[in-house]
Amino acid sequence: MEHYKFFQNKECEYFPCHETDKPEEFNCLFCYCPLYHLGDKCGGNFYFTEKGVKSCVNCLRPHMKDNYEEIVKILKNERN
């Protein structure tokens, strides 16, 4: 098993920081989304507030248990 791909901090006062019907699969590894800097090309469920700030409150993409490989692949492609 590849435990480095999944981490939960159930003692965090914000856990889970997004609504989910599967809290046991909520991944805290990417607590701050590494795709945030991609703006509207991140592929997540975001919206821009009236002030133009990107809000990811409805996005679970980096917190889904099986998305580790996808996130790392995107980050690797950003470097190239």
Side-chain angles (χ1 to χ4, degrees), residues 33-46:
C33 181
L35 303 179
Y36 183 86
H37 74 285
L38 297 176
D40 62 357
K41 294 173 181 47
C42 70
N45 184 18
F46 67 91

Side-chain angles (χ1 to χ4, degrees), residues 16-35:
C17 58
H18 299 275
E19 268 191 55
T20 177
D21 57 350
K22 296 182 180 179
E24 68 280 357
E25 293 186 13
F26 192 86
N27 193 353
C28 300
L29 185 64
F30 297 120
C31 181
Y32 178 82
C33 181
L35 303 179

